[in-house]
Amino acid sequence: MPAYPVHTIAEITGGALNQPEAGAVIEHLLLDSRKLVFPESSLFFALKTERRDGHGFIAELYKRSVRNFIISEPVDFSEYPGAVFITVKDTLHALQALAAYHRNSFQIPVIGITGSNGKTIVKEWLNHLMEQDLRIIRSPKSYNSQIGVPLSIWPMSASDQLAIFEAGISERREMVKLAEMIRPTIGLITNIGEAHDLGFSSLIEKLQEKLLLFRQSETIIYCSDHELIDDLLRRNPTSFPQRLFCWGHSAEADLEIKSTSVGNQSATVELEYYKKSFQFSIPFTDEASIENAIHCCCTLLLLGYDPAIISERMVQLPVVAMRLELKKGINGCSLINDSYSADWSSFKIALEFLARQQQVEQKTVILSDFKQSGKENDALYPDIAAALRQKNVQRLIGIGPSISEFAKHFEYAGIRCRFFLTTADFLEQFHPSDFRDETILLKGARAFEFERISQVLEQQVHQTVLEINLNHITHNLKRYQQLLQPETRLMVMVKAFSYGAGSFEIANLLQFHRVDWLAVAYTDEGADLRKAGIRLPIMVMNTDAAAFETLTTYDLQPELYSFEMTRCFDAFLRSEAVIEYPVHIKLDTGMHRLGFAPEEMDALADFLLQTRSFRVVSVFSHLVAGEDPAEDAFTLHQAEIFKSCCAILQKKLGYGFIKHIANTAAIRRFPQLQMDMVRLGIGLYGVDPSHPEHADLKEVSTLKTTVAQVRKVSAGETVGYNRRGKIVRDSVIATIRIGYADGYPRTLGNSAGHVWIKGKLYPTIGSICMDMSMIDITGSEGITEGTEVVVFGERLSVSRLAEWAQTIPYELLTGISPRVRRLYFEE
């Protein structure tokens, strides 16, 4: 890690030191208080965003032994004896200035990659192709943003021989800062497409912004078949005087693509470079992978690699693990699979993901040797031990000769350890009973083949799986947060198994992102969240007298909607000698389902005043049709009723409370109704009832299954129960492993529904069965037993499936059976 005296950092950032004589040396940059590992050598940047101000976490970090801070707001230094503060105008600019200074300390080749798609895969493949020759530093995962790039650059050291950094933007004027930090000597643009279009007026404006990354580059690599890119680069020689290295199907390209042939499992590309022909094959068949591989080929040619070496290595290109996967493991375990790389940066990310899991207390890490870390082993492994201890990891299983050699450092850290020289040694001695009720992080370099360990630790269940993209949940959460006033709080609905996505996993993520409140439908749901380590306030929307004891035992806050319930809960609290228990009052302003009527406000206030049992935390109501423009007048009428009721209650009670009426649709459509808090429901999962195709939300859930069998059926035959699937021509029918017991509605049978297989939609045929469904795949190619089938996801939205099923997305999402395995991943 780099080591900068704090006074040097003050000079670099143009900041003022509160202690000019301070002698602290900084090795680690900290932007998030939840990710603290090395307090003594960390520098905390108090970044400010629309929703959060890092200055509010200084006191907490000081208590956790952090003593170095960069701030932009006044702080009372006397409250933090011994702490060093650097005061700057803008903490983000200071972070970026420090990263730029550090980058400029090195004269090695730096590859800067931008584009709409493929950046991370190209970066990882370049690393795979050259890591045996060079010590490479690269962006961890997809760290390509205004704060991700500085964190990617910071670990650069004198031992590195090549750097590869991604740069991603979503609006104008972002790339200039990234270019100043990365300063690539080689620029590579993968493509230009519609991703992140919202921040730009046109595709060409977005392309112009992306190309700013290459202002100081010596060479730019691109595909000349992308006419917009080729035109902009070639027609502006004064703006782009660099050498242009292009590939394409034109004879004018530096690397000409002569032909591409695609088989069942691989693709072969024939090329000509400086009048010499060669070819390479890759173990992928999709167009995107072929394009990414050619970008890599160009880069290696530019760096002087022989075509024969390129061909030899291309065939070994791996699947890039773009995500951390959280799966159900054996014996009540949860398994985090990150078994494709082992380096310091990705290790820290994976360890943070492990630390966020609160479902069980016991945490185990299975870790291989680190092949490339930028550190010597005698510094690396003590740091790993310290990081494991700081994140309360109780057990380590180390695999590899290097980590085994440094066993004493892990033992000194108080971690239970066991070491094996090889993966085969571990598997030979593996016994399932050694793993029970714990969260296991599997983190290994590719050479150690940890996928073999994953296979024995993962619970073997139904091949139908619901994938939940935690990055997309975070994305959607931030989109709605950006619509809120700074003072407006956020309650998130995690009822009904979090709309089918899984309760504690989603609640755990929301807790990490510090939402204000959670809401569940029933007391048992709230109790399960408490048992899983969720500490946020939780409102229970439907409770009864039988659940009062559970409610108070687990510190859950009930919704009171009738006098009968209120009196019953009051009597229970009196019997338990509990006073001022937090409650939420539900008002009926037009739904006519649950809630106190407007004419009951005086009586309700009188009752609340005569008992000490309750403290009203919030008063709320439910909009009937917040998503429907035709009912806007009624929505505003509901709001007026709600406001007048709240005024009566507040006047009589003599104290304030949180008021909330806006749901997912109203957050966007009625900003004037945000009040003190809003309730976010299905929008978190990528469905906005008021804008079903809203471009700034991302589908969270993907329901997948596989083909069980493919058969030919002759014209005149039938398929399925009651002979409802009539075959009118010789057909090919695939049976897939999903039925109505999994939550796939029977209304989708007989061509009402379609599934997505290998880039195309195929209709159902016959009735939907309990465990299986049949699909007409006549005319398809390459669909065999085991082929993946997408039931809904990004390519086939749950909203569209709901239309076919003549229902709503809520019903489909909440109806996914518990027997369908949930797979959580973070890219």
Side-chain angles (χ1 to χ4, degrees):
M1 281 294 171
Y4 280 79
V6 71
H7 64 82
T8 301
I9 293 178
E11 294 173 5
I12 294 168
T13 59
L17 263 178
N18 71 319
Q19 295 185 40
E21 73 285 356
V25 174
I26 301 302
E27 295 182 0
H28 302 92
L29 307 184
L30 180 65
L31 312 183
D32 188 331
S33 62
R34 298 163 296 191
K35 298 182 178 181
L36 176 65
V37 178
F38 301 104
E40 293 82 5
S41 57
S42 291
L43 174 64
F44 176 68
F45 287 76
L47 300 180
K48 297 177 69 174
T49 67
E50 291 181 6
R51 299 290 303 176
R52 191 158 290 139
D53 185 347
H55 295 81
F57 300 94
I58 291 174
E60 171 197 334
L61 287 167
Y62 182 82
K63 290 178 182 177
R64 295 167 63 190
S65 301
V66 176
R67 291 295 180 268
N68 303 290
F69 303 88
I70 284 195
I71 58 174
S72 60
E73 298 291 333
V75 169
D76 186 350
F77 300 147
S78 65
E79 294 182 4
Y80 306 100
V84 176
F85 289 90
I86 302 173
T87 303
V88 297
K89 290 181 179 180
D90 186 302
T91 50
L92 176 59
H93 291 169
L95 172 69
Q96 294 171 339
L98 179 58
Y101 180 92
H102 185 60
R103 155 66 184 96
N104 289 335
S105 303
F106 304 97
Q107 302 304 314
I108 61 174
V110 174
I111 301 172
I113 305 175
T114 191
S116 295
N117 303 103
K119 297 184 292 295
T120 300
I121 292 176
V122 170
K123 176 199 68 185
E124 292 300 319
W125 279 358
L126 286 174
N127 178 73
H128 174 81
L129 291 164
M130 296 186 284
E131 64 181 346
Q132 58 190 284
D133 310 313
L134 302 167
R135 182 179 288 277
I136 301 172
I137 180 171
R138 67 194 193 279
S139 308
K141 302 295 182 180
S142 298
Y143 272 34
N144 56 29
S145 66
Q146 298 294 311
I147 61 174
V149 167
L151 295 180
S152 300
I153 290 172
W154 181 249
M156 285 183 77
S157 70
S159 62
D160 294 318
Q161 297 169 295
L162 176 68
I164 312 173
F165 298 127
E166 294 180 48
I169 55 171
S170 57
E171 58 186 51
R172 290 172 293 175
R173 293 182 291 277
E174 286 188 331
M175 190 59 87
V176 171
K177 286 292 183 183
L178 300 185
E180 290 174 354
M181 290 184 283
I182 298 174
R183 204 164 57 82
T185 57
I186 298 172
L188 192 161
I189 181 163
T190 56
N191 47 53
I192 189 71
E194 297 178 356
H196 306 296
D197 265 356
L198 290 176
F200 303 94
S201 61
S202 66
L203 200 61
I204 192 166
E205 182 185 60
K206 181 167 66 173
L207 176 58
Q208 288 170 333
E209 179 73 19
K210 287 182 178 293
L211 292 176
L212 290 176
L213 176 63
F214 308 141
R215 290 188 307 173
Q216 300 183 60
S217 300
E218 298 167 5
T219 306
I220 301 175
I221 298 171
Y222 72 100
C223 173
S224 57
D225 292 345
H226 288 286
E227 293 182 3
L228 190 62
I229 300 176
D230 189 54
D231 186 63
L232 191 60
L233 287 173
R234 290 191 184 276
R235 292 197 179 186
N236 293 276
T238 55
S239 299
F240 301 102
Q242 302 93 331
R243 175 190 175 188
L244 301 181
F245 189 117
C246 68
W247 65 269
H249 291 82
S250 167
E252 296 178 0
D254 296 276
L255 180 65
E256 182 183 355
I257 311 303
K258 289 293 190 179
S259 68
T260 303
S261 57
V262 178
N264 289 331
Q265 303 293 330
S266 64
T268 300
V269 183
E270 294 188 6
L271 317 97
E272 184 175 297
Y273 181 59
Y274 284 116
K275 302 189 181 302
K276 292 184 179 179
S277 298
F278 71 102
Q279 68 176 36
F280 66 76
S281 297
I282 59 171
F284 303 94
T285 59
D286 59 289
E287 290 183 8
S289 294
I290 294 169
E291 180 180 73
N292 293 335
I294 298 173
H295 282 309
C296 292
C297 178
C298 284
T299 307
L300 267 65
L301 289 171
L302 183 65
L303 291 174
Y305 277 78
D306 187 277
I309 298 295
I310 297 173
S311 300
E312 177 185 323
R313 295 182 184 179
M314 281 287 189
V315 75
Q316 300 172 4
L317 285 177
V319 174
V320 175
M322 298 285 288
R323 61 200 201 182
L324 290 163
E325 296 179 343
L326 177 62
K327 307 176 181 180
K328 285 191 175 180
I330 59 174
N331 302 329
C333 294
S334 294
L335 178 64
I336 300 171
N337 187 0
D338 191 23
S339 58
Y340 297 93
S341 63
D343 58 79
W344 180 249
S345 296
S346 65
F347 170 68
K348 290 194 295 182
I349 294 170
L351 200 58
E352 287 299 331
F353 190 69
L354 172 66
R356 281 158 41 192
Q357 308 310 313
Q358 303 293 324
Q359 51 269 39
V360 290
E361 184 176 348
Q362 178 73 21
K363 290 181 172 60
T364 294
V365 172
I366 302 178
L367 189 66
S368 78
D369 287 352
F370 278 30
K371 292 296 186 181
Q372 283 198 352
S373 68
K375 294 185 176 186
E376 297 299 327
N377 284 348
D378 56 2
L380 170 66
Y381 290 105
D383 278 355
I384 292 175
L388 294 174
R389 180 180 59 190
Q390 205 275 337
K391 295 302 180 183
N392 297 315
V393 172
Q394 291 90 0
R395 178 167 64 149
L396 169 71
I397 295 173
I399 298 179
S402 296
I403 195 171
S404 300
E405 181 183 345
F406 289 86
K408 63 181 181 181
H409 292 284
F410 299 98
E411 294 164 358
Y412 293 158
I415 301 169
R416 290 187 290 116
C417 304
R418 196 172 177 192
F419 295 91
F420 302 88
L421 289 179
T422 66
T423 300
D425 292 343
F426 168 82
L427 291 171
E428 188 175 315
Q429 300 182 49
F430 171 80
H431 196 281
S433 62
D434 291 337
F435 299 88
R436 185 174 299 279
D437 299 323
E438 55 194 295
T439 303
I440 305 165
L441 169 61
L442 198 56
K443 182 69 178 165
R446 191 177 294 110
F448 284 85
E449 299 180 327
F450 269 20
E451 59 270 19
R452 296 164 60 195
I453 300 178
S454 177
Q455 289 171 3
V456 299
L457 288 175
E458 185 179 348
Q459 187 182 63
Q460 301 303 311
V461 290
H462 194 12
Q463 288 193 40
T464 299
V465 60
L466 184 68
E467 294 185 347
I468 295 98
N469 188 321
L470 299 181
N471 293 94
H472 286 188
I473 286 184
T474 300
H475 168 89
N476 295 339
L477 175 66
K478 290 181 178 179
R479 284 292 175 265
Y480 281 102
Q481 286 176 327
Q482 288 169 357
L483 297 174
L484 302 182
Q485 300 298 320
E487 66 276 6
T488 302
R489 282 171 272 197
L490 181 63
M491 174 183 283
V492 179
M493 317 305 286
V494 290
K495 61 181 181 175
F497 202 48
S498 288
Y499 293 79
S503 295
F504 79 79
E505 294 88 352
I506 304 305
N508 198 38
L509 182 68
L510 295 171
Q511 179 169 270
F512 178 78
H513 287 290
R514 292 188 169 101
V515 303
D516 301 291
W517 243 279
L518 300 178
V520 297
Y522 294 100
T523 305
D524 287 347
E525 291 179 309
D528 288 342
L529 292 181
R530 288 284 185 250
K531 293 173 186 176
I534 301 302
R535 301 179 300 278
L536 289 172
I538 299 174
M539 181 178 80
V540 179
M541 305 185 76
N542 299 287
T543 191
D544 54 43
F548 286 165
E549 186 170 350
T550 302
L551 196 79
T552 54
T553 298
Y554 290 100
D555 190 25
L556 306 172
Q557 302 173 6
E559 165 192 316
L560 302 181
Y561 51 80
S562 70
F563 280 110
E564 181 179 357
M565 169 180 281
T566 304
R567 291 189 184 102
C568 286
F569 193 45
D570 178 45
F572 172 80
L573 293 175
R574 287 173 185 265
S575 70
E576 299 291 316
V578 174
I579 62 172
E580 295 205 341
Y581 196 86
V583 298
H584 302 259
I585 304 298
K586 174 74 172 286
L587 305 183
D588 179 10
T589 60
M591 177 71 81
H592 302 322
R593 184 174 62 182
L594 295 173
F596 291 95
E599 59 268 23
E600 294 176 321
M601 291 303 98
D602 287 320
L604 174 60
D606 291 340
F607 183 86
L608 294 172
L609 281 172
Q610 59 86 31
T611 178
R612 297 181 61 202
S613 299
F614 308 131
R615 177 80 180 185
V616 177
V617 175
S618 86
V619 176
F620 71 103
S621 188
H622 201 112
L623 294 177
V624 173
E627 72 281 3
D628 188 353
E631 297 293 344
D632 283 357
F634 188 79
T635 296
L636 296 174
H637 176 63
Q638 278 191 272
E640 290 306 313
I641 294 174
F642 178 68
K643 290 175 184 177
S644 62
C645 290
C646 287
I648 293 171
L649 289 176
Q650 188 160 326
K651 183 176 179 181
K652 284 209 164 192
L653 292 179
Y655 60 84
F657 43 75
I658 297 170
K659 306 172 189 68
H660 50 112
I661 193 172
N663 56 9
T664 292
I667 292 173
R668 193 183 298 274
R669 297 195 67 242
F670 295 96
Q672 71 272 32
L673 299 185
Q674 291 183 7
M675 301 186 186
D676 302 312
M677 185 159 69
V678 297
R679 301 188 303 276
L680 178 59
I682 198 167
L684 183 71
Y685 308 95
V687 179
D688 189 327
S690 62
H691 297 79
E693 303 299 330
H694 218 289
D696 62 352
L697 295 182
K698 294 185 177 182
E699 292 264 353
V700 164
S701 302
T702 300
L703 182 60
K704 293 180 178 179
T705 188
T706 57
V707 172
Q709 189 177 41
V710 176
R711 67 171 67 243
K712 294 180 179 179
V713 183
S714 301
E717 296 286 342
T718 61
V719 173
Y721 285 118
N722 303 113
R723 306 193 69 202
R724 290 200 174 101
K726 309 293 185 184
I727 299 295
V728 297
R729 69 189 192 292
D730 290 350
S731 301
V732 180
I733 305 300
T735 300
I736 62 174
R737 295 180 171 94
I738 191 170
Y740 60 78
D742 301 299
Y744 194 62
R746 294 187 76 244
T747 53
L748 290 172
N750 284 310
S751 298
H754 295 69
V755 297
W756 186 271
I757 309 177
K758 290 197 166 187
K760 294 182 180 179
L761 287 174
Y762 295 95
T764 59
I765 183 167
S767 298
I768 303 301
C769 307
M770 180 182 290
D771 307 302
M772 297 283 178
S773 300
M774 283 70 74
I775 308 297
D776 186 346
I777 61 169
T778 305
S780 66
E781 294 183 3
I783 298 178
T784 59
E785 292 184 14
T787 297
E788 181 180 88
V789 178
V790 176
V791 180
F792 64 74
E794 281 195 88
R795 296 297 184 93
L796 173 56
S797 73
V798 69
S799 297
R800 189 175 181 189
L801 191 68
E803 289 178 12
W804 293 337
Q806 301 178 44
T807 184
I808 57 177
Y810 297 79
E811 184 175 350
L812 290 183
L813 289 172
T814 59
I816 303 301
S817 168
R819 79 176 187 177
V820 173
R821 178 167 57 108
R822 270 68 174 174
L823 171 61
Y824 304 89
F825 65 90
E826 191 167 90
E827 295 175 333

